[in-house]
Amino acid sequence: MIDGLLERVRRQKPLIHHITNQVTINDCANITLCTGGLPVMTHALGEVEEMVASSDALVINIGTPTPDQIDAMVAAGKKANELKIPVVLDPVGLGATALRTDVISRIVDSVEVAVIKGNAGEISILAGYGGSVKGVESVGRYENIEQPSCDAARKYGCTVVVTGAADIITDGKRLLRICNGDAMMGRVVGTGCMSASVLACFAAVEGDRALSSAAAMACFGIAGELAAKREDVKGPGTFKPALMDEMYNLSEDVVKRYARIEEVALI
């Protein structure tokens, strides 16, 4: 299903423009490089349209929103739409505060998004089902997140990626479950934001967003699995650099061997 996509990313070296979380900006830049893309991290309103015009995908992450940054996100998103450059939206902390909810409403009302990636609480809220987010973490149990995911994909005309023990991906027509990854990925600040960067790398080279998202999440998850098994990994502090190394060293053969992608009945 995803054969050759990682190699395509590395051959094309897409430029990924980030307007992103200041807490994890360095991690996002590094994982983009390790995946095979080229990162640029700028949110100055005066240059975002020009920068996105030379990019192959745009990541919008509302993790640390400021008024100027929000304006830049909308401006860059509109320019990306004009040039048919895919936009990956990470609605970090949606529902935790009124500001974040308002920001996401403004973005999805103004910008056509190719991929929305969030945790179960964020996607459930986005789809109108309600949910609970504490800070930027999903709180509570979401036994049937597939239904809100499909509803959100259809509502916004995009591909939705829900991160969790198994990642759910749907474009409203297909529903995929990615069973790669390791629990240690949830114990390191930044892996959620990093996954949006990986999603953008693959979206930049493959127009089927469900397929590109499946490849991205499988590759990132496999890198996490391999990192967690290393003898030099003793905990979160040693896991993060190991994750970067494993993503950098990932090959098509390893992806083919370890990828666990299931297509499930559409909701």
Side-chain angles (χ1 to χ4, degrees), residues 142-167:
Y142 299 87
E143 301 292 349
N144 183 25
I145 193 59
E146 291 85 357
Q147 185 68 63
S149 302
C150 289
D151 288 352
R154 292 165 184 151
K155 180 178 181 180
Y156 296 106
C158 68
T159 293
V160 169
V161 178
V162 187
T163 56
D167 301 317

PDB file of all heavy atoms in Angstrom, residues 142-167:
ATOM      1  N   TYR A 142     -12.422   7.297  24.774  1.00  0.00           N
ATOM      2  CA  TYR A 142     -13.127   7.507  23.511  1.00  0.00           C
ATOM      3  C   TYR A 142     -13.203   6.147  22.811  1.00  0.00           C
ATOM      4  O   TYR A 142     -12.330   5.782  22.030  1.00  0.00           O
ATOM      5  CB  TYR A 142     -12.397   8.543  22.657  1.00  0.00           C
ATOM      6  CG  TYR A 142     -12.309   9.893  23.342  1.00  0.00           C
ATOM      7  CD1 TYR A 142     -11.254  10.184  24.205  1.00  0.00           C
ATOM      8  CD2 TYR A 142     -13.290  10.861  23.162  1.00  0.00           C
ATOM      9  CE1 TYR A 142     -11.178  11.406  24.864  1.00  0.00           C
ATOM     10  CE2 TYR A 142     -13.221  12.086  23.814  1.00  0.00           C
ATOM     11  CZ  TYR A 142     -12.164  12.347  24.662  1.00  0.00           C
ATOM     12  OH  TYR A 142     -12.095  13.561  25.314  1.00  0.00           O
ATOM     13  N   GLU A 143     -14.265   5.399  23.138  1.00  0.00           N
ATOM     14  CA  GLU A 143     -14.362   4.019  22.686  1.00  0.00           C
ATOM     15  C   GLU A 143     -14.616   3.900  21.192  1.00  0.00           C
ATOM     16  O   GLU A 143     -14.252   2.915  20.562  1.00  0.00           O
ATOM     17  CB  GLU A 143     -15.497   3.300  23.455  1.00  0.00           C
ATOM     18  CG  GLU A 143     -15.314   3.292  24.971  1.00  0.00           C
ATOM     19  CD  GLU A 143     -14.136   2.433  25.404  1.00  0.00           C
ATOM     20  OE1 GLU A 143     -13.589   1.691  24.562  1.00  0.00           O
ATOM     21  OE2 GLU A 143     -13.759   2.501  26.582  1.00  0.00           O
ATOM     22  N   ASN A 144     -15.264   4.908  20.605  1.00  0.00           N
ATOM     23  CA  ASN A 144     -15.615   4.838  19.187  1.00  0.00           C
ATOM     24  C   ASN A 144     -15.181   6.111  18.480  1.00  0.00           C
ATOM     25  O   ASN A 144     -15.994   6.848  17.921  1.00  0.00           O
ATOM     26  CB  ASN A 144     -17.129   4.622  19.027  1.00  0.00           C
ATOM     27  CG  ASN A 144     -17.535   4.463  17.578  1.00  0.00           C
ATOM     28  OD1 ASN A 144     -16.734   4.058  16.742  1.00  0.00           O
ATOM     29  ND2 ASN A 144     -18.772   4.802  17.269  1.00  0.00           N
ATOM     30  N   ILE A 145     -13.886   6.374  18.490  1.00  0.00           N
ATOM     31  CA  ILE A 145     -13.372   7.597  17.879  1.00  0.00           C
ATOM     32  C   ILE A 145     -13.485   7.545  16.358  1.00  0.00           C
ATOM     33  O   ILE A 145     -13.400   8.582  15.683  1.00  0.00           O
ATOM     34  CB  ILE A 145     -11.903   7.838  18.328  1.00  0.00           C
ATOM     35  CG1 ILE A 145     -11.460   9.269  17.973  1.00  0.00           C
ATOM     36  CG2 ILE A 145     -10.976   6.800  17.702  1.00  0.00           C
ATOM     37  CD1 ILE A 145     -12.295  10.360  18.583  1.00  0.00           C
ATOM     38  N   GLU A 146     -13.709   6.356  15.807  1.00  0.00           N
ATOM     39  CA  GLU A 146     -13.845   6.234  14.360  1.00  0.00           C
ATOM     40  C   GLU A 146     -15.015   7.073  13.828  1.00  0.00           C
ATOM     41  O   GLU A 146     -14.889   7.701  12.770  1.00  0.00           O
ATOM     42  CB  GLU A 146     -14.031   4.765  13.952  1.00  0.00           C
ATOM     43  CG  GLU A 146     -12.813   3.901  14.145  1.00  0.00           C
ATOM     44  CD  GLU A 146     -12.664   3.350  15.545  1.00  0.00           C
ATOM     45  OE1 GLU A 146     -13.497   3.688  16.403  1.00  0.00           O
ATOM     46  OE2 GLU A 146     -11.706   2.590  15.787  1.00  0.00           O
ATOM     47  N   GLN A 147     -16.137   7.081  14.553  1.00  0.00           N
ATOM     48  CA  GLN A 147     -17.295   7.838  14.075  1.00  0.00           C
ATOM     49  C   GLN A 147     -17.030   9.345  14.025  1.00  0.00           C
ATOM     50  O   GLN A 147     -17.251   9.981  12.983  1.00  0.00           O
ATOM     51  CB  GLN A 147     -18.522   7.551  14.945  1.00  0.00           C
ATOM     52  CG  GLN A 147     -19.802   8.206  14.449  1.00  0.00           C
ATOM     53  CD  GLN A 147     -20.291   7.620  13.143  1.00  0.00           C
ATOM     54  OE1 GLN A 147     -20.629   6.449  13.091  1.00  0.00           O
ATOM     55  NE2 GLN A 147     -20.307   8.423  12.089  1.00  0.00           N
ATOM     56  N   PRO A 148     -16.541   9.964  15.104  1.00  0.00           N
ATOM     57  CA  PRO A 148     -16.197  11.383  15.010  1.00  0.00           C
ATOM     58  C   PRO A 148     -15.139  11.665  13.948  1.00  0.00           C
ATOM     59  O   PRO A 148     -15.194  12.708  13.279  1.00  0.00           O
ATOM     60  CB  PRO A 148     -15.672  11.718  16.411  1.00  0.00           C
ATOM     61  CG  PRO A 148     -16.296  10.705  17.301  1.00  0.00           C
ATOM     62  CD  PRO A 148     -16.396   9.458  16.479  1.00  0.00           C
ATOM     63  N   SER A 149     -14.191  10.757  13.778  1.00  0.00           N
ATOM     64  CA  SER A 149     -13.140  10.957  12.772  1.00  0.00           C
ATOM     65  C   SER A 149     -13.744  11.038  11.380  1.00  0.00           C
ATOM     66  O   SER A 149     -13.420  11.941  10.595  1.00  0.00           O
ATOM     67  CB  SER A 149     -12.129   9.810  12.823  1.00  0.00           C
ATOM     68  OG  SER A 149     -11.559   9.695  14.100  1.00  0.00           O
ATOM     69  N   CYS A 150     -14.617  10.089  11.048  1.00  0.00           N
ATOM     70  CA  CYS A 150     -15.257  10.084   9.739  1.00  0.00           C
ATOM     71  C   CYS A 150     -16.130  11.320   9.558  1.00  0.00           C
ATOM     72  O   CYS A 150     -16.136  11.939   8.482  1.00  0.00           O
ATOM     73  CB  CYS A 150     -16.098   8.821   9.576  1.00  0.00           C
ATOM     74  SG  CYS A 150     -15.136   7.311   9.375  1.00  0.00           S
ATOM     75  N   ASP A 151     -16.857  11.696  10.596  1.00  0.00           N
ATOM     76  CA  ASP A 151     -17.723  12.876  10.501  1.00  0.00           C
ATOM     77  C   ASP A 151     -16.897  14.138  10.275  1.00  0.00           C
ATOM     78  O   ASP A 151     -17.276  15.005   9.478  1.00  0.00           O
ATOM     79  CB  ASP A 151     -18.568  13.011  11.771  1.00  0.00           C
ATOM     80  CG  ASP A 151     -19.666  11.959  11.861  1.00  0.00           C
ATOM     81  OD1 ASP A 151     -19.862  11.226  10.873  1.00  0.00           O
ATOM     82  OD2 ASP A 151     -20.315  11.868  12.926  1.00  0.00           O
ATOM     83  N   ALA A 152     -15.774  14.254  10.969  1.00  0.00           N
ATOM     84  CA  ALA A 152     -14.914  15.425  10.799  1.00  0.00           C
ATOM     85  C   ALA A 152     -14.312  15.458   9.394  1.00  0.00           C
ATOM     86  O   ALA A 152     -14.227  16.523   8.769  1.00  0.00           O
ATOM     87  CB  ALA A 152     -13.801  15.427  11.848  1.00  0.00           C
ATOM     88  N   ALA A 153     -13.902  14.305   8.884  1.00  0.00           N
ATOM     89  CA  ALA A 153     -13.322  14.247   7.538  1.00  0.00           C
ATOM     90  C   ALA A 153     -14.341  14.696   6.490  1.00  0.00           C
ATOM     91  O   ALA A 153     -14.010  15.444   5.561  1.00  0.00           O
ATOM     92  CB  ALA A 153     -12.841  12.829   7.239  1.00  0.00           C
ATOM     93  N   ARG A 154     -15.565  14.251   6.653  1.00  0.00           N
ATOM     94  CA  ARG A 154     -16.610  14.633   5.697  1.00  0.00           C
ATOM     95  C   ARG A 154     -16.991  16.098   5.859  1.00  0.00           C
ATOM     96  O   ARG A 154     -17.220  16.807   4.872  1.00  0.00           O
ATOM     97  CB  ARG A 154     -17.827  13.734   5.903  1.00  0.00           C
ATOM     98  CG  ARG A 154     -17.582  12.280   5.519  1.00  0.00           C
ATOM     99  CD  ARG A 154     -18.647  11.360   6.054  1.00  0.00           C
ATOM    100  NE  ARG A 154     -18.350   9.954   5.753  1.00  0.00           N
ATOM    101  CZ  ARG A 154     -18.743   8.937   6.493  1.00  0.00           C
ATOM    102  NH1 ARG A 154     -19.453   9.154   7.605  1.00  0.00           N
ATOM    103  NH2 ARG A 154     -18.446   7.706   6.155  1.00  0.00           N
ATOM    104  N   LYS A 155     -17.058  16.562   7.085  1.00  0.00           N
ATOM    105  CA  LYS A 155     -17.445  17.945   7.345  1.00  0.00           C
ATOM    106  C   LYS A 155     -16.449  18.931   6.758  1.00  0.00           C
ATOM    107  O   LYS A 155     -16.840  19.953   6.166  1.00  0.00           O
ATOM    108  CB  LYS A 155     -17.567  18.171   8.857  1.00  0.00           C
ATOM    109  CG  LYS A 155     -17.959  19.588   9.255  1.00  0.00           C
ATOM    110  CD  LYS A 155     -18.106  19.720  10.768  1.00  0.00           C
ATOM    111  CE  LYS A 155     -18.514  21.131  11.164  1.00  0.00           C
ATOM    112  NZ  LYS A 155     -18.667  21.248  12.648  1.00  0.00           N
ATOM    113  N   TYR A 156     -15.150  18.642   6.918  1.00  0.00           N
ATOM    114  CA  TYR A 156     -14.118  19.587   6.488  1.00  0.00           C
ATOM    115  C   TYR A 156     -13.479  19.216   5.151  1.00  0.00           C
ATOM    116  O   TYR A 156     -12.591  19.928   4.676  1.00  0.00           O
ATOM    117  CB  TYR A 156     -13.052  19.714   7.577  1.00  0.00           C
ATOM    118  CG  TYR A 156     -13.611  20.292   8.850  1.00  0.00           C
ATOM    119  CD1 TYR A 156     -13.829  19.485   9.968  1.00  0.00           C
ATOM    120  CD2 TYR A 156     -13.968  21.631   8.939  1.00  0.00           C
ATOM    121  CE1 TYR A 156     -14.366  20.012  11.141  1.00  0.00           C
ATOM    122  CE2 TYR A 156     -14.509  22.164  10.098  1.00  0.00           C
ATOM    123  CZ  TYR A 156     -14.706  21.344  11.197  1.00  0.00           C
ATOM    124  OH  TYR A 156     -15.251  21.863  12.341  1.00  0.00           O
ATOM    125  N   GLY A 157     -13.927  18.112   4.548  1.00  0.00           N
ATOM    126  CA  GLY A 157     -13.415  17.722   3.245  1.00  0.00           C
ATOM    127  C   GLY A 157     -11.930  17.445   3.242  1.00  0.00           C
ATOM    128  O   GLY A 157     -11.209  17.857   2.334  1.00  0.00           O
ATOM    129  N   CYS A 158     -11.471  16.733   4.271  1.00  0.00           N
ATOM    130  CA  CYS A 158     -10.028  16.501   4.419  1.00  0.00           C
ATOM    131  C   CYS A 158      -9.786  15.093   4.935  1.00  0.00           C
ATOM    132  O   CYS A 158     -10.721  14.316   5.125  1.00  0.00           O
ATOM    133  CB  CYS A 158      -9.440  17.526   5.386  1.00  0.00           C
ATOM    134  SG  CYS A 158      -9.995  17.315   7.097  1.00  0.00           S
ATOM    135  N   THR A 159      -8.530  14.777   5.136  1.00  0.00           N
ATOM    136  CA  THR A 159      -8.149  13.538   5.816  1.00  0.00           C
ATOM    137  C   THR A 159      -7.912  13.850   7.286  1.00  0.00           C
ATOM    138  O   THR A 159      -7.262  14.844   7.616  1.00  0.00           O
ATOM    139  CB  THR A 159      -6.887  12.934   5.180  1.00  0.00           C
ATOM    140  OG1 THR A 159      -7.207  12.494   3.859  1.00  0.00           O
ATOM    141  CG2 THR A 159      -6.364  11.753   5.984  1.00  0.00           C
ATOM    142  N   VAL A 160      -8.438  13.005   8.153  1.00  0.00           N
ATOM    143  CA  VAL A 160      -8.294  13.175   9.595  1.00  0.00           C
ATOM    144  C   VAL A 160      -7.417  12.053  10.144  1.00  0.00           C
ATOM    145  O   VAL A 160      -7.612  10.882   9.802  1.00  0.00           O
ATOM    146  CB  VAL A 160      -9.671  13.171  10.293  1.00  0.00           C
ATOM    147  CG1 VAL A 160      -9.513  13.082  11.814  1.00  0.00           C
ATOM    148  CG2 VAL A 160     -10.451  14.428   9.921  1.00  0.00           C
ATOM    149  N   VAL A 161      -6.463  12.428  10.960  1.00  0.00           N
ATOM    150  CA  VAL A 161      -5.561  11.477  11.609  1.00  0.00           C
ATOM    151  C   VAL A 161      -5.734  11.623  13.115  1.00  0.00           C
ATOM    152  O   VAL A 161      -5.561  12.716  13.662  1.00  0.00           O
ATOM    153  CB  VAL A 161      -4.090  11.745  11.232  1.00  0.00           C
ATOM    154  CG1 VAL A 161      -3.157  10.767  11.959  1.00  0.00           C
ATOM    155  CG2 VAL A 161      -3.902  11.660   9.724  1.00  0.00           C
ATOM    156  N   VAL A 162      -6.099  10.538  13.782  1.00  0.00           N
ATOM    157  CA  VAL A 162      -6.236  10.527  15.238  1.00  0.00           C
ATOM    158  C   VAL A 162      -5.097   9.702  15.813  1.00  0.00           C
ATOM    159  O   VAL A 162      -4.981   8.504  15.521  1.00  0.00           O
ATOM    160  CB  VAL A 162      -7.573   9.933  15.697  1.00  0.00           C
ATOM    161  CG1 VAL A 162      -7.746  10.107  17.207  1.00  0.00           C
ATOM    162  CG2 VAL A 162      -8.737  10.571  14.957  1.00  0.00           C
ATOM    163  N   THR A 163      -4.253  10.326  16.615  1.00  0.00           N
ATOM    164  CA  THR A 163      -3.128   9.612  17.207  1.00  0.00           C
ATOM    165  C   THR A 163      -3.559   8.916  18.485  1.00  0.00           C
ATOM    166  O   THR A 163      -4.427   9.388  19.219  1.00  0.00           O
ATOM    167  CB  THR A 163      -1.975  10.580  17.513  1.00  0.00           C
ATOM    168  OG1 THR A 163      -2.456  11.631  18.364  1.00  0.00           O
ATOM    169  CG2 THR A 163      -1.431  11.183  16.232  1.00  0.00           C
ATOM    170  N   GLY A 164      -2.959   7.769  18.731  1.00  0.00           N
ATOM    171  CA  GLY A 164      -3.280   6.998  19.926  1.00  0.00           C
ATOM    172  C   GLY A 164      -2.506   5.701  19.920  1.00  0.00           C
ATOM    173  O   GLY A 164      -1.529   5.545  19.176  1.00  0.00           O
ATOM    174  N   ALA A 165      -2.934   4.742  20.752  1.00  0.00           N
ATOM    175  CA  ALA A 165      -2.276   3.434  20.783  1.00  0.00           C
ATOM    176  C   ALA A 165      -2.273   2.813  19.392  1.00  0.00           C
ATOM    177  O   ALA A 165      -1.307   2.174  18.969  1.00  0.00           O
ATOM    178  CB  ALA A 165      -2.981   2.531  21.779  1.00  0.00           C
ATOM    179  N   ALA A 166      -3.387   2.998  18.672  1.00  0.00           N
ATOM    180  CA  ALA A 166      -3.452   2.731  17.239  1.00  0.00           C
ATOM    181  C   ALA A 166      -3.928   4.028  16.594  1.00  0.00           C
ATOM    182  O   ALA A 166      -4.849   4.675  17.087  1.00  0.00           O
ATOM    183  CB  ALA A 166      -4.415   1.588  16.932  1.00  0.00           C
ATOM    184  N   ASP A 167      -3.285   4.425  15.525  1.00  0.00           N
ATOM    185  CA  ASP A 167      -3.659   5.659  14.845  1.00  0.00           C
ATOM    186  C   ASP A 167      -4.789   5.384  13.858  1.00  0.00           C
ATOM    187  O   ASP A 167      -4.763   4.380  13.136  1.00  0.00           O
ATOM    188  CB  ASP A 167      -2.462   6.241  14.087  1.00  0.00           C
ATOM    189  CG  ASP A 167      -1.279   6.538  15.007  1.00  0.00           C
ATOM    190  OD1 ASP A 167      -1.512   7.081  16.108  1.00  0.00           O
ATOM    191  OD2 ASP A 167      -0.139   6.226  14.626  1.00  0.00           O
TER     192      ASP A 167
END
